[in-house]
Amino acid sequence: MNRCNPLLYLVTDRALAKGRPIENVVEQAVKGGVTMVQLREKDCPTLEFFNLAVLIKRILAPFHVPLIINDRLDIALAADAEGLHIGQHDIPYVIARKILGKDKIIGLSVESISQAREANKLDVDYIGLSPVFVTDTKPELSIALGIEGVREIASFSRHCIVAIGGINARNAVDIVRAGADGIAVVSAIVSADDPMMAAREIRQKIATFKQ
Amino acid sequence: MNRCNPLLYLVTDRALAKGRPIENVVEQAVKGGVTMVQLREKDCPTLEFFNLAVLIKRILAPFHVPLIINDRLDIALAADAEGLHIGQHDIPYVIARKILGKDKIIGLSVESISQAREANKLDVDYIGLSPVFVTDTKPELSIALGIEGVREIASFSRHCIVAIGGINARNAVDIVRAGADGIAVVSAIVSADDPMMAAREIRQKIATFKQ
């Protein structure tokens, strides 16, 4: 796992940014210690999504923080993002890898123990365990893996593990202690009054367990 | 314009198919004389869109009818469709061409005389003039180009011209007579009681002017 460091992985959602431009929130969060950024904008028209991806890639470049695009392989290609994150209902991994090539990061959402076992057959760059806790950001996912689920998957997965779903400064350490290589957060940073301070606080808490 | 023949171009919309599987409607339409098919499904999750594209490509193959994907370059790549149709708010043409390569068909929507002049600078494979008439399928486009608009654009455009928007068996001939190389239809075929007969009727009417 050399090409990505998902220790503190910011996943965007403009709807949760309290009216602030998401690019400003991302920049603050990266200054606070975010190590990877995923642009996840489900209801964004294509050109707007593309322009936003190009803008955020430019913001991230000086920090050497990779930009990952959620679901939209076309946006990842067009904006020359560092990678793509796919879910179980997106373009199949094998096809995405064929199109993107071996040099791009591809992450895969895993929502159960059995999906995590299946993912061991694929050369994804990381798996995103979701949801660890039930969250308002993705209310359709109701079966939480919990700390125990993270621990079990960490015991057999050959992949880098990022946990997502209801993670914040209070529970981040427990997740990392259970075996996750990183945590992904949405509202804990995007909706924070001060995204830089919010990112810094989480980063410092997990820094005692991971570098 | 060797690689596509948009004489009678079917554009899909599952919502207008009266509950019938869109792949069945497409197959009937192609049997009736449709020469090109565009899969346009604005609110379709990625995996579902991909699976539908693969299915329709398989249906079209024996007829040698090219499959064009609306907007989603990722689906076009993943399903190895013959081409992509982009609008003015999709991924910019130059980037799409760079990613897809020179062998794929790329069509561009043009909604005004000035956009048609701009398109003359690009090596698109066709331009889609939209809307010729105001239509319920795209109610947000309210300024119709009309027959006169088609005639004017045909007088200076260096591209193959497909007209779309409110076209049916009654007005198809007027559009072709005004200089369009083909017509694109949605509801006139997708919503027809008999899509094969509907396609055949339009095809026969324009066949007296175009082969």
Side-chain angles (χ1 to χ4, degrees), chain B residues 110-127:
Chain B
V110 156
E111 291 163 15
S112 65
I113 306 284
S114 64
Q115 286 178 2
R117 291 199 190 278
E118 283 300 305
N120 262 355
K121 301 172 188 165
L122 307 172
D123 60 337
V124 296
D125 292 287
Y126 69 86
I127 54 174

Side-chain angles (χ1 to χ4, degrees), chain A residues 45-48 50 71-75 77-78 88-92 95 99, chain B residues 45-48 50 71-75 77-78 88-92 95 99:
Chain A
T46 299
L47 183 58
E48 193 181 336
F50 166 69
D71 176 12
R72 295 290 298 265
L73 195 154
D74 50 348
I75 305 293
L77 281 170
Q88 298 283 331
H89 303 287
D90 297 334
I91 285 178
I95 294 173
I99 294 170
Chain B
T46 299
L47 182 59
E48 193 180 338
F50 166 71
D71 176 12
R72 297 288 299 263
L73 194 155
D74 50 348
I75 305 294
L77 282 171
Q88 298 283 332
H89 303 288
D90 296 334
I91 283 179
I95 294 173
I99 294 171

Side-chain angles (χ1 to χ4, degrees), chain A residues 16-170:
Chain A
L16 297 177
K18 297 186 170 174
R20 298 169 293 195
I22 194 69
E23 60 272 24
N24 295 4
V25 172
V26 167
E27 183 163 22
Q28 291 302 308
V30 171
K31 286 180 178 169
V34 156
T35 60
M36 252 169 95
V37 172
Q38 180 184 136
L39 197 53
R40 183 174 77 191
E41 300 294 343
K42 285 292 178 191
D43 298 307
C44 193
T46 299
L47 183 58
E48 193 181 336
F49 199 163
F50 166 69
N51 287 333
L52 186 60
V54 169
L55 176 63
I56 290 185
K57 187 179 145 90
R58 202 177 301 142
I59 289 169
L60 297 182
F63 299 96
H64 304 286
V65 165
L67 173 63
I68 309 297
I69 305 294
N70 183 282
D71 176 12
R72 295 290 298 265
L73 195 154
D74 50 348
I75 305 293
L77 281 170
D80 193 25
E82 282 74 20
L84 176 73
H85 183 92
I86 50 177
Q88 298 283 331
H89 303 287
D90 297 334
I91 285 178
Y93 168 75
V94 174
I95 294 173
R97 175 62 76 194
K98 196 173 161 193
I99 294 170
L100 280 176
K102 62 179 174 46
D103 294 336
K104 296 288 186 184
I105 297 163
I106 303 184
L108 176 69
S109 287
V110 156
E111 292 162 16
S112 65
I113 306 284
S114 63
Q115 287 178 1
R117 290 200 190 279
E118 283 299 306
N120 262 355
K121 301 173 188 165
L122 308 172
D123 60 338
V124 297
D125 293 287
Y126 69 87
I127 54 174
L129 306 193
S130 161
V132 177
F133 304 113
V134 173
T135 160
D136 290 342
T137 313
K138 280 201 160 188
E140 73 277 16
L141 301 175
S142 54
I143 305 170
L145 292 162
I147 302 274
E148 276 314 305
V150 174
R151 188 172 290 123
E152 182 170 349
I153 291 171
S155 73
F156 67 77
S157 178
R158 68 185 184 95
H159 297 303
C160 175
I161 292 173
V162 187
I164 185 167
I167 299 176
N168 52 45
R170 289 181 302 282

Side-chain angles (χ1 to χ4, degrees), chain B residues 39-58:
Chain B
L39 197 53
R40 183 175 75 192
E41 299 296 343
K42 284 293 178 190
D43 299 307
C44 193
T46 299
L47 182 59
E48 193 180 338
F49 199 164
F50 166 71
N51 287 332
L52 186 60
V54 169
L55 177 62
I56 290 186
K57 187 180 147 90
R58 202 177 301 140

Side-chain angles (χ1 to χ4, degrees), chain B residues 52-186:
Chain B
L52 186 60
V54 169
L55 177 62
I56 290 186
K57 187 180 147 90
R58 202 177 301 140
I59 289 170
L60 297 182
F63 300 96
H64 304 285
V65 164
L67 173 64
I68 309 297
I69 304 294
N70 183 283
D71 176 12
R72 297 288 299 263
L73 194 155
D74 50 348
I75 305 294
L77 282 171
D80 193 25
E82 282 74 19
L84 176 73
H85 183 91
I86 50 177
Q88 298 283 332
H89 303 288
D90 296 334
I91 283 179
Y93 168 73
V94 174
I95 294 173
R97 176 60 77 193
K98 197 174 160 193
I99 294 171
L100 280 175
K102 62 180 174 47
D103 294 337
K104 295 289 186 184
I105 297 164
I106 304 184
L108 176 69
S109 287
V110 156
E111 291 163 15
S112 65
I113 306 284
S114 64
Q115 286 178 2
R117 291 199 190 278
E118 283 300 305
N120 262 355
K121 301 172 188 165
L122 307 172
D123 60 337
V124 296
D125 292 287
Y126 69 86
I127 54 174
L129 306 193
S130 162
V132 177
F133 305 112
V134 172
T135 161
D136 291 341
T137 314
K138 280 200 160 189
E140 72 279 15
L141 301 175
S142 54
I143 305 171
L145 291 161
I147 301 275
E148 275 314 306
V150 174
R151 188 172 289 126
E152 182 171 349
I153 291 171
S155 73
F156 68 78
S157 179
R158 68 185 184 95
H159 297 302
C160 175
I161 291 172
V162 187
I164 184 167
I167 299 176
N168 52 45
R170 289 182 302 283
N171 57 27
V173 170
D174 295 334
I175 305 294
V176 171
R177 202 180 267 151
D181 299 284
I183 57 163
V185 296
V186 188

